[in-house]
Amino acid sequence: MRTEEVLAAIATGLWYWDNAAGSVTLDAEAARLFGLAAEPTTMAEGAMRSQFHPVDWNEIAGIVGLAVAEGTIAEARLRIMDGEGRVLRTVRSRCKPTVRTLPDGSQDFEMVGTVQEVSEPRPGAAVEGTSITGDWRRSREAFLLDAGRALAEARSTNEVLRVAASLSMPGFSPDGLAVFSVFGERLRIIGHHGHDAGDVGPFEDMQLNTDYPAAEAVRTGRAIYLPTPEAYEKRYPTTWQYVQRFDRHSWAFVPLIVAGRTLGTWMAAFKHRVAFSPDERSVLTTVARMLAQALARAGVAESERELSLGLQRSMMPTIGPAIPGMTVAARYVPTGGGLQVGGDWYDMIPLPGTGPGRGRFALVIGDVQGHDVRAAGLMGQLRIALRAYAAEGHRPDAVLSRASRFLAGLQLHQGRDGGVVGGAEGHLGAMGGNGGDTPGPGSTANGPGPGRREEEEYAAAGPRFATCLYLEVDPETGTLDIARAGHPDPVILSVDGAAVIRQTEGGLPLGVETDSDYPTTRLDLEPGETLMLCTDGLIETGGHDLATGWDRLRPVMEEHGGGSLEKLADTLVQAVHGPTSHYTTGPLADRHEDDIALLLLARDRIPAPASRPKARRTALTVAQAEPERIAGARRQLRQLLHDWTDAEQVDSAELMVSEMLTNVLVHTDNDALLVAEARGEPGERRLRVEVADTSDQLPHRRRPGELASSGRGLLLMEMLADEWGVDPRGEGKSIWFELHEGGHTGS
């Protein structure tokens, strides 16, 4: 007996596929199994493809490609379809791809294989012959891995439902899906696929005792499989009248269970009949478990986002009415992770005796240590306290002193549940710590206080402090009275586009001591200038420290060019936050990111004659009791001249300022007032620096000996300044010098 006769006797066909020619040759048995006349035939690849289920054809192409690459045998299960789209039978085909070289030098492959009918039920086999194509175990595992990854990456309920609708289960993909969720004693559809909007009306909202498979799956916690319409009608006659019009033939209702709690039901409906073999049920159950976990995670994430947005809306005020002659812009960016809330805040407070949009107002910006719920709670209470103290009419220094006492006392005496704990432990804050509201051992959810373990964890967290900058603004004069509690100094963007850090007096952060002093610094905001207040998150985000972070921000401000204040706020945030392509990483790459609060205040520009040169100006007072501020004055002058073309002139100016201030502190009993102004166009500017005091004693030239430690101040000014002089005043005197940018120094 010939080989062909033996194969025909066991219902095995032979076929040959020439990929280069695009043709398939079948023997009589193979033709019969593929739904053709039982005679040898050669047909085009496209005609052959029409005999297979489209899903199976796509899968066999991948199996063959892998077999060609690995030099192995390809095996696949295929559904043979008739002209009306019904499954005739399921066959198994095995073939060996062989790579060959064509006359033109290119490579292609040919395959010789066998085909047999699958008569016994197989994993994936439907009542009418559906199957899982290829190596069904490998396909199922790959599908479940992909589905698990996609569901794990979904961050919202809508994303989870979109992923569920796109799942293509190997060999028995449903064409209708619905997800039901439990809401009290009712069951509602929260997402569906494969149905029109009006189709879900009867099932959109139902009671849990309804005679419907999804409701029963929730009540019992067991999956319900209905392989035929007859099975559905017999078991659920009441709801069958609403289902039969969808022309579906099999249904699976699988409960969505997480941690023993049933969240809802997942329905998968099929237009072809499915036998729901143990392997198919295993796939459906696994998908349902992953779907339930994804929905639970998405629900928690959405609750956290809703809480975060609610906290932000309640704690982040909107900027008040327009201020005549001034413009204000603000931004808040939570970057701390978790609930996306933190301790950064800003505020704008109308001061007593002035209506909205008129007279003086206060700007506040601050940062409570940490970026968690406790920090957000302390921030909310501290913001309210600051508004109350400001409304009482206190000056900036008094407002911060009272706020510091408030924060220190709040954490020393008030327990998380409002009880007095106090004493030496001193570890309780006003809001919950990192442990949340979960009761610890030895307590109940409604008990009088937290458990012992939670108290210990809370104690380990320690008290929190807050940095803050509070300033009063007079819109008519541009006067700013600033008090600072451990917060970064403000920045002034001058009319000529130079951004300079304005050093101010400061005290300890709020809450560190119950009795702290916060001296006030007065600055003048000139027409056309912009004031920037920010928390350290804007400076240090991206691994920067205060120095490198400021080096990154200054060009951003100086390129602003007097445009929209809202645009400047967006540009500053984008420069430090978002994709790494937006910013340069600093030297401290392992530093955690922080929340960002930003306030911008601009004084409207006054039209000036075209001949009026651009100017930038800074002023600073150095008290007798604070000689260390001389170093700050040098830094401030260097920042004022950061774009001066001649670096030697900057060094000379810094040296002369240091000498002038030191002379006032050493030779008089008065404070020194420094005023520096650079006026003109870049490259042709004139720097004038004045140091004034209230002493009538004029400086005089001396001839110091070789070893003398003083007496060279006027000699230095003669050598280094282009011009200098001493001007008597009604009360005191002023010594000054000028430098011309690009000009020769010296007399």
Side-chain angles (χ1 to χ4, degrees), residues 475-543:
E476 293 185 1
T477 63
T479 301
L480 310 176
D481 290 326
I482 302 174
R484 187 171 58 87
H487 201 80
D489 280 302
V491 175
I492 297 290
L493 179 63
S494 62
V495 178
D496 69 343
V500 179
I501 297 176
R502 295 300 298 270
Q503 294 181 343
T504 58
E505 298 280 356
L508 293 173
L510 305 180
V512 174
E513 291 183 356
T514 57
D515 190 12
S516 298
D517 292 328
Y518 297 96
T520 302
T521 302
R522 171 164 289 188
L523 301 178
D524 290 326
L525 191 65
E526 301 293 338
E529 291 185 336
T530 299
L531 173 77
M532 183 193 79
L533 309 176
C534 68
T535 57
D536 55 3
L538 183 70
I539 303 173
E540 297 177 350
T541 291

Side-chain angles (χ1 to χ4, degrees), residues 611-673:
S611 59
R612 183 177 178 179
K614 295 181 179 179
R616 65 180 71 162
R617 186 171 180 269
T618 186
L620 179 70
T621 299
V622 179
Q624 282 283 334
E626 297 177 316
E628 66 276 3
R629 296 206 68 193
I630 295 177
R634 291 197 300 265
R635 288 194 300 269
Q636 195 157 320
L637 179 67
R638 184 168 287 275
Q639 289 186 16
L640 185 74
L641 304 177
H642 71 273
D643 58 350
W644 199 267
T645 56
D646 191 339
E648 290 187 1
Q649 285 186 319
V650 176
D651 294 337
S652 298
E654 188 177 2
L655 178 60
M656 287 187 285
V657 164
S658 182
E659 184 68 26
M660 293 160 66
L661 292 174
T662 301
N663 283 340
V664 172
L665 299 186
V666 171
H667 298 295
T668 73
D669 296 327
N670 301 282
D671 299 340
L673 173 64

